[in-house]
Amino acid sequence: LDEIDSKCNADLVQWMLVDLSQHQSNLTELASEIKAKCPDTHLLGFGAHVDTQALRAAQKAGFDDVMPRSKFH
C-alpha cells in the first residue's frame, strides 16, 4: 500500500480490486487503510462463490462491492 500513496494523491487510482483469498484475516484493517489513503477509490473484493464467509466479511469491512470471482467473465 505504500507505493499507492503518491498515485492516490494524484487521483490516479479509481478502482482497487482485492482477491479475498489473499487477505481474509485482516479485511477490516485493509479496507480502512485503503479508504484512508485513497478515499475516492472504489474498493471491490472478489473471491470464490463457495467462500461466503469471506464475501460477507468484505461487505462488513466496508468494501464498496463484493462479488464471486465468476462474475468477471
Side-chain angles (χ1 to χ4, degrees), residues 53-64:
Q53 183 178 356
L55 297 172
R56 274 192 235 118
Q59 287 175 324
K60 205 171 174 184
F63 280 65
D64 297 304

Side-chain angles (χ1 to χ4, degrees), residues 11 18-20 23 27 33 36 43 46 49-51 61 66 68 72:
D11 293 328
V18 177
D19 183 347
L20 300 176
H23 300 283
L27 290 176
E33 192 171 343
L43 185 57
F46 65 93
H49 72 278
V50 296
D51 193 356
V66 178
F72 284 105

